[in-house]
Each structure stands twice: as structure tokens, then as C-alpha cells.
Amino acid sequence: MKIETKCLHSGYQPKNGEPSVMPIVQSTTYRFDSCDHVAELFDKPTEFMYSRFANPTCECVEKKIADLEGGVGCMLTSSGQAASLLSVLNLCSAGDSFIASSSIYGGTINLFGFTLKKLGIECIWVDVDASYEEIVAAFKPNTKCVFGETIANPALTVFDFEKWAKAAHSQNIPLIIDNTFATPILCRPFEWGADIVVHSTTKYMDGHAVQGGGAIVDSGNFDWEKAYKETGKFADMIEPDESYHGLKYVGDFGKAAYIVKARTQLMRDFGCYPAAQSAFYLNLGLETLPLRMKRYCENAKKVAEFFKTSDKIASVSYPGLEGDKYFDLAQKYLPEGTCGVVSISIKGGRQAAVRFMDALKLASDEVHVADIRTCVLHPASATHRQLTDEQLVAAGIDGGMVRFSCGLENIDDIIADIKLGLAAI
């Protein structure tokens, strides 16, 4: 099936006489006929047993997202931050390090640079535009993974998958990609060498600002046995898991080892699993995702072009715009479009940016992005407020930056609103 069809039909396929629409299984528990049956699941988890691990409604959506990305398995989480956290903790423990692009989302920068540091895990920051040689030079003997973002929020840098994947794989290390802004409609990182994908499903996948969520998708492509033999790393993928009765993830689950380990170990212990109701809402968003992504991209390109005509705008960042620094990479990796977010820097800095935003009538000022409704945010005051001046520069953010997230309104109405904002500067 083509991806538009998968959005409607993957994951849940009703049998004769069953509901046409995916049902909500509103239950935390599952009944069994014998004590031995339950005991078997605590040796090898192959069925539903408790909704902190898995739920039938959520599983349908997990299968759909895995299919859309081209992976062997998916696990939903309660937020995008939880997905990013678990994706790294599934590989790293105290005393380990990992590499991350310095232009990723501000909340993830806080998570990686501060919270994980408290847990004894070091994040090594590398410029997204670093050369292959510079990336390789950043690896340490204890480095366990590389983390990047397809389209960075809000800097809108475009990740060069082939360069970074080559560097990671030269060290027998997996590449994790946050594909939130692109979604699998615009880019499928596994096709370019990524090994694991994470999403904040709160954004475009849901699209309607009705529930928070995240997802981790496993490509099944990384060779854990090879990495273990050659580097000694990832022993917990190969050797028996003492916390789960000697379960061997690669030996027992093959290509799905990473995602099964994430569920069996981390979801078991952290319990950040979404409710069935949330998965149901997410599925509704996924069903219209191809149509919405096309409109987001169309609106954003026109907005970016309009901003370019204003002498009150210092710079416009939109990788789908010819002349943008990342236009060539966008054409290579995202030929169908580059999301609905435009980042602008307004002349006059923070005060001018605030006047612009406060004068808008249609676009709402909110801590959200990638919604069906147009919204704006001042990153330096909000999502990236905890970053140092040096980190703000590394993330491509200045005081005059405004993140403009185009919704699905008529483009003429969006442009008219922008004119109101510019007139107030």
C-alpha cells in the first residue's frame, strides 16, 4: 500500500462482523485461565497482561506508525520527551556518553544536557553542519548512540542523514532521529541509514492539540551482535536480562530486540504509557496526516515568501525556500515539503518580536507547534529559556526569533494577520 492508504488501513484490520472503526479497549487488566499462563508472560512477554506495558488500542496505532516509518516495531509513550528519554536510556547507562546535534529542540537539550548528566550520562554536542571527520572525532570509547533531528525545532536546520549515519556506523553505533516535524509523510529516516526514530506525536501526527504523546520506532536494521563482538558494547542486547528471568533480546526477538527491550525494561519501570483514549485520538490524526502535511507545506512556503518581502524581517529560515541554507539538503531528503513551520528573526530583537506577536489576531501565542491552527512562539523566552547564550547561538536562536507555525486556515487570512503584526513594529 502507498503511504496515504497505510494511514487509513494499517494497524487495525477488522474481521467479519467486527467494528469498522478501531475500538477503544478501556481496561488496565486482562484475564487468564491459569497461573501458569501468567507466569509464562513474565518469562517471555508475548501477550497483553497489563496496560502499563501495552494495550490493544495502542498496539493498533503502534503497528500503523511502524508501518508508516518502515520499521519492525513501535512503542507509544506519554510524550515526545518520554520517547527521546527512553530511546537513549535503552542504550546508555551511568558512565556512558552519546552524541547529539546541537540544534535539536530546546526541551531535549535540557533533558540531555542537564537531567541525563545527573544520571551519569554525558551528552557530547556536535554542530549539525560538522564535517564527517569532526563527527567521528567526537566519539569516545564509551559512546553508545548518536541523536539528531530531521528538521530542527525551531532552527529548521536539515539533518544530513547519510553523513551522520556513515559516521555512526563506522563506530558500530546506532543513529536515533527525531522525525517529529517531517513525519513519515515527508521523510522516512530509515531509508537514509537511521536505525531508530522517535516522534512527539503531540505535533503533526495528532495535529489537533487534543492529547500529548510520543513514539519510538525500531528499524530492525542495526546489527547488535556485530557491534557487541567488535566493541563489547550493547551486552544487554545479547546477554541474559537478569531482571526478566534471563530473557535474551536478540536471541529471543531477533530484529525487534531494541523495541522489545524498551518495552520490557523501561516501560515496565518508568510506566510512561499512553491511555487507550489518547491512542484513539492519535489515530484520527494519522488518518488525515497526508492531506494536512501537504496543506501545511503549501501555506508555510507562501508565508516564508511573504516574510522575505518585508524590510522589518532580518532573516527567514525555511528549508523549502529556494536560497535557504538547507534548501539543497531539503530537496534531497524532503522533496515533498519541509513542514509548516517558518522561523523568522525580526529586526529590533526581543521587543520588536513581542510587539509583532501581541498584535496578531488569528495566530495564537501558545506553547505549541504543528497544530491545525496557526500559532506563534518566542523560543528565547519559552522553550529555550533555560539555555545559555552560547547554547542559544548553537541552536540557531536569537532574541528576535519568532517560530511561526502555519495552520490550515486560508492563506489569505494568515497573510492578513501577519500584516497586522508587522504594522505594529
Side-chain angles (χ1 to χ4, degrees):
M1 294 188 293
K2 303 297 183 183
I3 198 161
E4 296 86 353
T5 309
K6 288 181 179 181
C7 283
L8 290 168
H9 295 281
S10 286
Y12 175 66
Q13 296 174 338
K15 299 180 178 64
N16 183 50
E18 292 184 340
S20 178
V21 176
M22 180 185 74
I24 300 171
V25 179
Q26 196 67 46
S27 179
T28 60
T29 52
Y30 308 87
R31 293 189 178 187
F32 300 94
D33 292 334
S34 71
C35 182
D36 287 343
H37 191 161
V38 177
E40 289 173 4
L41 297 182
F42 278 88
D43 286 333
K44 190 172 183 179
T46 55
E47 299 175 49
F48 299 108
M49 56 178 170
Y50 190 56
S51 285
R52 191 175 77 234
F53 300 87
N55 169 278
T57 302
C58 295
E59 185 190 53
C60 290
V61 182
E62 289 168 341
K63 287 180 177 179
K64 176 174 286 189
I65 294 174
D67 196 17
L68 294 178
E69 286 286 9
V72 297
C74 171
M75 181 178 75
L76 293 181
T77 62
S78 56
S79 69
Q81 281 289 79
S84 295
L85 173 65
L86 298 191
S87 72
V88 173
L89 289 184
N90 204 32
L91 301 171
C92 297
S93 55
D96 290 334
S97 69
F98 68 103
I99 289 172
S101 162
S102 59
S103 67
I104 58 176
Y105 168 61
T108 313
I109 291 175
N110 290 330
L111 170 65
F112 289 173
F114 294 96
T115 302
L116 286 186
K117 183 179 180 180
K118 294 178 181 178
L119 300 180
I121 300 172
E122 178 191 11
C123 181
I124 304 166
W125 301 105
V126 176
D127 190 289
V128 69
D129 298 323
S131 67
Y132 171 82
E133 291 75 18
E134 289 171 326
I135 299 169
V136 171
F139 282 90
K140 295 182 178 182
N142 64 354
T143 301
K144 292 287 189 69
C145 63
V146 175
F147 190 100
E149 200 167 352
T150 303
I151 305 173
N153 172 14
L156 300 184
T157 57
V158 176
F159 196 79
D160 191 343
F161 293 106
E162 290 186 328
K163 176 179 68 179
W164 284 78
K166 180 181 177 183
H169 295 159
S170 74
Q171 307 296 309
N172 282 306
I173 297 297
L175 174 61
I176 304 173
I177 292 295
D178 182 339
N179 200 34
T180 296
F181 267 15
T183 79
I185 303 302
L186 301 180
C187 182
R188 286 169 293 283
F190 295 155
E191 297 175 4
W192 298 102
D195 302 292
I196 298 140
V197 159
V198 299
H199 286 278
S200 171
T201 61
T202 315
K203 311 304 191 298
Y204 286 123
M205 281 187 163
D206 168 83
H208 298 74
V210 295
Q211 56 83 37
I216 305 174
V217 189
D218 182 4
S219 70
N221 294 331
F222 191 79
D223 193 333
W224 303 106
E225 285 187 304
K226 176 177 178 290
Y228 176 60
K229 289 176 182 178
E230 295 185 8
T231 69
K233 297 176 182 178
F234 312 119
D236 48 1
M237 289 286 184
I238 308 299
E239 297 175 358
D241 179 2
E242 294 182 2
S243 76
Y244 220 101
H245 309 288
L247 196 68
K248 293 182 180 180
Y249 293 104
V250 170
D252 291 332
F253 295 97
K255 288 184 175 294
Y258 174 90
I259 202 68
V260 172
K261 179 176 177 293
R263 190 183 301 274
T264 303
Q265 283 187 349
L266 300 179
M267 191 58 74
R268 174 196 65 193
D269 294 343
F270 286 88
C272 48
Y273 202 63
Q277 186 83 35
S278 295
F280 180 83
Y281 288 139
L282 172 57
N283 188 63
L284 291 179
L286 290 171
E287 289 179 340
T288 62
L289 187 60
L291 296 172
R292 290 187 290 108
M293 291 310 297
K294 181 178 179 181
R295 181 63 174 268
Y296 288 127
C297 293
E298 290 173 353
N299 280 355
K301 186 175 182 181
K302 291 175 181 176
V303 163
E305 290 170 344
F306 180 78
F307 276 128
K308 291 284 284 187
T309 67
S310 173
D311 59 3
K312 296 180 179 181
I313 303 298
S315 65
V316 178
S317 296
Y318 186 67
L321 196 62
E322 195 165 356
D324 186 270
K325 179 180 179 180
Y326 297 97
F327 179 77
D328 290 341
L329 281 177
Q331 291 301 296
K332 177 179 180 178
Y333 296 122
L334 302 113
E336 300 299 319
T338 58
C339 83
V341 180
V342 180
S343 287
I344 58 171
S345 182
I346 298 177
K347 294 178 181 178
R350 173 185 166 79
Q351 291 184 344
V354 170
R355 285 197 295 271
F356 168 79
M357 293 171 62
D358 288 350
L360 298 172
K361 302 297 183 185
L362 179 69
S364 56
D365 186 351
E366 56 186 59
V367 186
H368 191 45
V369 67
D371 191 4
I372 55 173
R373 303 163 193 86
T374 296
C375 54
V376 292
L377 185 78
H378 188 247
S381 299
T383 54
H384 293 65
R385 188 176 182 85
Q386 284 74 34
L387 272 60
T388 65
D389 290 342
E390 292 78 12
Q391 287 177 317
L392 286 172
V393 171
I397 296 168
D398 60 50
M401 175 181 274
V402 173
R403 185 182 69 186
F404 196 96
S405 178
C406 299
L408 304 184
E409 300 93 346
N410 185 284
I411 187 60
D412 293 339
D413 293 326
I414 297 175
I415 296 294
D417 199 43
I418 291 172
K419 289 179 179 178
L420 283 177
L422 294 175
I425 301 174

